[in-house]
Amino acid sequence: MKESSISNKTVFFSIIVPVYNVEDYLEQCLDSILKQNYSNFELILVNDGSTDSSLKICKNYQQQYHQIRLIDKENKGVSEARNVGLAAAKGDYILFMDSDDYWTGNDALLNLNALIEESNPDLILHEESRFFSDKDVNCKYNQKFLKNLKGSFKENILDLVYYDLYAAAPWDKVVRRSILIDNQLFFPPGRKGEDIEWSGKLMYFIDTFSVYSKSFYIYRQARKGSSTTSVTEKNVNDLYIIVKHGLQEARVSSVALNQAIENYWACSYVVILKDFYVSSSKIQRQMWSDLVSWKYLLQRGRNLKVDKVMGFYKYLPFRGLIFFLNGYRIKTALSKQYRASK
């Protein structure tokens, strides 16, 4: 069996990768992890009933690399695939990765280990680079605006949410496994927007954090066949339910954390408004009274994206804002497709 380059036995990482019909991208994903110059990790591949050659690729890699653990299951969606991987994981820290994405460089795990040795945080946040084409890969790098890159989560969470360092994704986070297991922080099965709900719940259980200084995660945009490429009525309705439940959660003793949680849900509220017209008129009527009652979420200072929306809201009535955002949604989707085709 092949070994990854250099062995370092300090922190043991579990990297969980759900796999579903990604034969064109999977080898790049796996190679980017296995070339790391830090080998004290397990790579848990959860094949979620792929119908292409993805399972064959997984088996081939498993035969070559001792770090790989392969779980083959029937197709039940990304949430259950991540949950199966998390339940099987043995690492000190958990990383999630989508199987059509990849890492850049060889030092990500080595540097993460150094961060953990330095401050032993509950959570490490890292900023992704967005991939449209080989010539169009960029990172927003908002960490340059932060006052602190490590320390108390509750004391810094307002800035982390405002600058999109704490966002609604699992793959931009490195989390202490005991926090996830002890608090049963699994992904809701059968629901779109599972990343958003999971990230919202995680906020309650983090005490300390660090920010990784570089961007090593490459997030592929506008891939044909990706579940993130198009918006459906189920996406909108599930997100509406997630936000409703999130806003109803009991408040905690930390004023800053309460405010940050509200700011976090304000970002998803804006997404619902943007995608409102994707839903049927029946679903729109069911959501409308809540959407109106949540207008208090439209305030400057919550998040960069909300601030951007507020720049238009001051000139538009509420319904006009929703109509405008719908046009912005269409324009953005077309722009992503164009950039990805170049």
Side-chain angles (χ1 to χ4, degrees):
M1 288 187 180
K2 294 181 181 179
E3 299 281 343
S4 292
S5 309
I6 300 170
S7 179
N8 187 315
K9 299 296 183 184
T10 307
V11 175
F12 186 50
F13 295 100
S14 292
I15 305 164
I16 299 170
V17 183
V19 176
Y20 180 70
N21 288 357
V22 284
E23 60 185 6
D24 293 337
Y25 308 98
L26 184 55
E27 291 186 359
Q28 183 182 26
C29 171
L30 301 182
D31 288 342
S32 73
I33 298 170
L34 293 163
K35 73 178 184 180
Q36 295 296 308
N37 55 17
Y38 182 101
S39 65
N40 198 29
F41 66 89
E42 60 178 358
L43 175 53
I44 303 176
L45 306 180
V46 184
N47 180 58
D48 190 36
S50 294
T51 58
D52 65 359
S53 64
S54 293
L55 177 57
K56 182 179 179 180
I57 294 170
C58 289
K59 288 180 176 179
N60 180 49
Y61 272 78
Q62 183 189 32
Q63 291 173 356
Q64 298 180 67
Y65 294 93
H66 76 278
Q67 292 101 332
I68 292 180
R69 298 170 62 192
L70 174 59
I71 301 172
D72 186 23
K73 58 181 288 296
E74 63 179 316
N75 178 251
K76 290 189 176 179
V78 67
S79 289
E80 293 209 26
R82 286 179 181 147
N83 291 342
V84 167
L86 179 55
K90 299 176 181 178
D92 303 303
Y93 284 80
I94 301 292
L95 295 88
F96 293 100
M97 186 174 187
D98 287 352
S99 52
D100 55 347
D101 298 334
Y102 64 96
W103 293 354
T104 185
N106 302 332
D107 296 332
L109 293 178
L110 189 67
N111 292 336
L112 289 170
N113 176 71
L115 271 179
I116 293 167
E117 284 189 331
E118 175 188 331
S119 58
N120 193 34
D122 293 335
L123 172 71
I124 298 174
L125 299 168
H126 57 91
E127 295 182 273
E128 82 283 357
S129 293
R130 305 222 161 193
F131 177 101
F132 293 92
S133 70
D134 290 333
K135 297 180 180 179
D136 188 356
V137 183
N138 60 79
C139 177
K140 60 184 185 295
Y141 203 71
N142 285 348
Q143 62 181 268
K144 63 180 176 288
F145 301 116
L146 295 178
K147 297 175 183 176
N148 300 307
L149 296 177
K150 63 180 179 180
S152 166
F153 185 71
K154 293 180 178 64
E155 290 177 8
N156 293 275
I157 185 58
L158 283 168
D159 281 346
L160 293 174
V161 170
Y162 181 78
Y163 290 111
D164 266 341
L165 268 294
Y166 192 93
W171 35 256
D172 64 358
K173 300 173 178 65
V174 182
V175 191
R176 193 187 304 276
R177 181 176 66 90
S178 59
I179 290 175
L180 301 179
I181 300 301
D182 292 350
N183 297 291
Q184 293 293 291
L185 292 175
F186 293 94
F187 294 84
R191 182 177 291 170
K192 299 291 186 181
E194 73 286 338
D195 297 358
I196 300 170
E197 182 171 344
W198 181 85
S199 298
K201 289 182 176 179
L202 178 63
M203 297 173 76
Y204 290 90
F205 301 100
I206 301 299
D207 289 326
T208 56
F209 81 100
S210 290
V211 175
Y212 186 88
S213 61
K214 302 175 184 178
S215 174
F216 67 88
Y217 192 100
I218 310 300
Y219 176 37
R220 200 179 298 273
Q221 299 287 287
R223 175 179 71 82
K224 185 178 180 181
S226 170
S227 61
T228 61
T229 301
S230 59
V231 179
T232 66
E233 181 173 275
K234 181 171 174 56
N235 290 109
V236 183
N237 195 48
D238 282 0
L239 182 54
Y240 160 71
I241 293 170
I242 289 169
V243 172
K244 187 170 186 174
H245 289 169
L247 291 173
Q248 292 172 345
E249 286 280 353
R251 299 179 73 82
V252 296
S253 58
S254 168
V255 174
L257 181 57
N258 284 326
Q259 184 64 62
I261 290 170
E262 189 174 278
N263 295 353
Y264 173 85
W265 292 120
C267 299
S268 293
Y269 173 58
V270 165
V271 174
I272 298 172
L273 299 182
K274 173 176 65 70
D275 297 337
F276 181 74
Y277 286 115
V278 172
S279 298
S280 65
S281 56
K282 178 182 177 182
I283 297 297
Q284 290 177 20
R285 288 193 297 271
Q286 291 173 354
M287 293 191 297
W288 185 251
S289 61
D290 280 329
L291 296 184
V292 171
S293 70
W294 297 342
K295 286 196 292 184
Y296 69 91
L297 295 172
L298 294 174
Q299 294 179 15
R300 286 189 176 276
R302 293 191 183 276
N303 175 269
L304 287 173
K305 295 173 183 174
V306 179
D307 279 2
K308 188 174 182 179
V309 170
M310 293 305 297
F312 300 103
Y313 187 36
K314 65 180 180 181
Y315 300 111
L316 298 168
F318 185 62
R319 280 189 179 273
L321 177 66
I322 295 175
F323 186 78
F324 173 83
L325 291 175
N326 178 66
Y328 179 82
R329 172 184 63 82
I330 296 170
K331 177 179 178 295
T332 301
L334 292 173
S335 174
K336 286 184 176 183
Q337 291 173 11
Y338 174 73
R339 290 175 66 179
S341 68
K342 293 175 67 177

